[in-house]
Amino acid sequence: MRLLLLLPTVTYRTVAFVEAARRLGIEVTVASERPSTFERANPSGLVTLDFADPAHAAAQALAFARAHPVHGVVAVDDDTAVVAAAIAQELGLRGNPVAAARAARDKHQQRQMLAAAGVAVPRFELLTIAADPERVAGRAAYPCVLKPLRLSASRGVVRADDPPGFVAAFRRVQAILEQPDVAGCGEWARHILVEEFVPGREVAVEGLVTRGSVRVLTIFDKPDPLDGPFFEETIYVTPSRLARTAQQAIAACAQAAVDALGLREGPIHAEIRHNDRGTWLIELAARPIGGRCSGALRFGAGGSGLGAGVSLEEIIIRHALDMELPTLEREEPASGVMMIPVPGAGVLRDVRGVGEARAVPLVEEVAITAHPGQTLVPWPEGSRYPGFIFARGESSEAVEAALRAAHARLEFLIEPAD
């Protein structure tokens, strides 16, 4: 069988998915938005698709599939999720309706559909970047959060607690949307979503949707409070330490959101808050967890026949190809990942203490993905972490402590940018 894997040129996900396909003995065709110099030498393994136009990409994929039959399609981010839906529809493959994938990608459309279906979401309002922030600030309810409609990894997400803070946040988000890499992306880049700040514990839900039914693969606790003013994430750890009733409510919230958006097949990644008023859907994406964070998940423990160590990517590929899923049970040990915070703005010269961090008990990997000479950009303008730390142990508490101890041993040498 052949899998069409939609991989943007800049992504962390290539190795994990290609390795999972290799383990399964699956032929992989990697589709990107830019031509590869190796495409002519490997016409069945590499193809260029127009990710900016899902309908055109689907037509291109159909033409490719006439010579190289395709049996499944997988996307790795929000934009390619829409492309994957269009391709699945064109080729008759397992996937989501295009309209549902579009709604999951656009934060305002998602809010509208969830609210209409009775799913608990923050109160919200859509503004254009041409709006007068001082005028809007006078009628806003505080605290509130301003955010772009489509940027990922909390880029451009800013909390405001009063009118002066609102004006400052608006100007900052506006400046991000006017940057060249964003401004040319379409009409959505000319809007800002303003929504109520929802207090409480935030979790990340990783799930797999089959015929519209959500199977929760895990709930990640986020032990560091995400109260703003910016929302750079740090630690994910599982299993969740929330009460079973809270976890059941979170799972029900994810299912209600999937129903409201009309998603039918494939992975989801949801951000949900839980407080004394209930559960609140903050965002839901029709794709797996981002960055390298999937390395914190393994499946197959407990006598499934697969053995421990099955990756999330393998499960997603199996699902896309309609292969048997022997297990969706996460391994028994607790696990976690730290997205290493950006330590400051400037040019990275060196990272010290990596060996000492790797030597911390329970730590399995310290992956520094930033390279010397790279400019580090803190949130809210930035969106890329300089690395990831992974740990496993007997309890979530022990894993969290190991992640923090390893991070404390790292030293980033940064020089001011010119």
Side-chain angles (χ1 to χ4, degrees):
M1 291 189 289
R2 179 176 302 278
L3 176 76
L4 185 62
L5 181 60
L6 308 187
L7 285 172
T9 305
V10 181
T11 179
Y12 290 116
R13 307 307 303 280
T14 304
V15 173
F17 273 104
V18 171
E19 174 62 19
R22 186 195 64 78
R23 289 175 59 184
L24 288 170
I26 301 300
E27 295 289 334
V28 176
T29 297
V30 173
S32 294
E33 77 281 19
R34 299 178 189 171
S36 167
T37 55
F38 299 103
E39 193 169 319
R40 290 195 176 199
N42 186 13
S44 66
L46 298 168
V47 66
T48 303
L49 300 180
D50 185 0
F51 287 174
D53 185 341
H56 185 211
Q60 292 173 312
L62 179 61
F64 173 85
R66 291 192 180 107
H68 310 283
V70 172
H71 304 92
V73 57
V74 167
V76 301
D77 66 3
D78 296 316
D79 288 334
T80 55
V82 180
V83 178
I87 292 172
Q89 178 177 290
E90 187 71 29
L91 274 62
L93 305 175
R94 201 170 198 178
N96 285 310
V98 176
R102 288 189 187 279
R105 179 180 62 172
D106 187 284
K107 294 179 174 64
H108 181 242
Q109 186 180 357
Q110 182 177 136
R111 284 276 179 272
Q112 289 178 309
M113 295 179 69
L114 295 179
V119 179
V121 295
R123 295 188 300 272
F124 60 94
E125 178 183 4
L126 186 66
L127 303 176
T128 71
I129 59 174
D132 180 356
E134 294 185 356
R135 183 175 180 180
V136 179
R139 58 177 169 80
Y142 296 99
C144 62
V145 176
L146 291 75
K147 61 175 64 173
L149 299 189
R150 291 191 188 174
L151 296 183
S152 59
S154 299
R155 182 183 180 192
V157 182
V158 185
R159 170 174 163 163
D161 293 329
D162 51 36
F166 184 100
V167 174
F170 185 97
R171 296 298 187 202
R172 199 158 183 178
V173 179
Q174 181 185 48
I176 293 170
L177 293 175
E178 290 175 344
Q179 292 179 3
D181 67 319
V182 180
C185 291
E187 180 62 25
W188 68 264
R190 290 182 277 277
H191 291 84
I192 296 174
L193 187 65
V194 180
E195 62 186 34
E196 167 193 17
F197 173 76
V198 177
R201 296 279 299 276
E202 183 167 310
V203 300
V205 176
E206 206 65 22
L208 186 69
V209 182
T210 304
R211 293 185 291 277
S213 178
V214 178
R215 169 64 184 267
V216 173
L217 302 178
T218 201
I219 297 175
F220 282 109
D221 284 344
K222 302 181 184 183
D224 288 335
L226 289 168
D227 293 331
F230 314 127
F231 294 87
E232 178 184 22
E233 296 188 297
T234 52
I235 293 176
Y236 278 23
V237 63
T238 189
S240 173
R241 286 165 276 184
L242 291 174
R244 180 173 295 276
T245 53
Q247 295 187 45
Q248 291 171 340
I250 288 165
C253 182
Q255 180 67 66
V258 164
D259 292 343
L261 297 176
L263 296 171
R264 297 295 302 165
E265 301 285 348
I268 61 164
H269 176 76
E271 313 289 342
I272 295 175
R273 291 212 170 194
H274 179 77
N275 58 30
D276 56 7
R277 293 189 293 158
T279 54
W280 302 78
L281 200 291
I282 303 301
E283 290 181 11
L284 184 143
R287 50 131 176 108
I289 193 170
R292 293 189 55 178
C293 295
S294 65
L297 291 176
R298 293 177 187 163
F299 300 86
S304 67
L306 277 180
V310 174
S311 68
L312 175 65
E313 289 78 11
E314 182 173 331
I315 286 175
I316 292 170
I317 291 172
R318 283 176 172 271
H319 176 270
L321 294 171
D322 203 16
M323 296 171 66
E324 181 184 4
L325 293 173
T327 182
L328 293 177
E329 295 295 330
R330 198 188 66 79
E331 64 178 356
E332 293 182 6
S335 63
V337 56
M338 171 180 274
M339 293 156 271
I340 300 174
V342 175
V347 178
L348 179 65
R349 293 306 178 198
D350 194 13
V351 183
R352 297 174 180 171
V354 175
E356 291 84 347
R358 288 174 177 154
V360 171
L362 306 186
V363 169
E364 291 190 337
E365 183 182 6
V366 178
I368 303 300
T369 52
H371 57 80
Q374 180 175 330
T375 299
L376 301 182
V377 182
W379 271 246
E381 286 76 18
S383 62
R384 294 182 69 82
Y385 297 92
F388 302 85
I389 306 172
F390 298 90
R392 279 180 170 77
E394 293 184 358
S395 69
S396 296
E397 293 83 355
V399 168
E400 179 187 341
L403 293 171
R404 295 191 190 281
H407 179 239
R409 286 161 171 75
L410 296 177
E411 180 185 2
F412 288 80
L413 277 61
I414 300 174
E415 292 181 357
D418 293 337

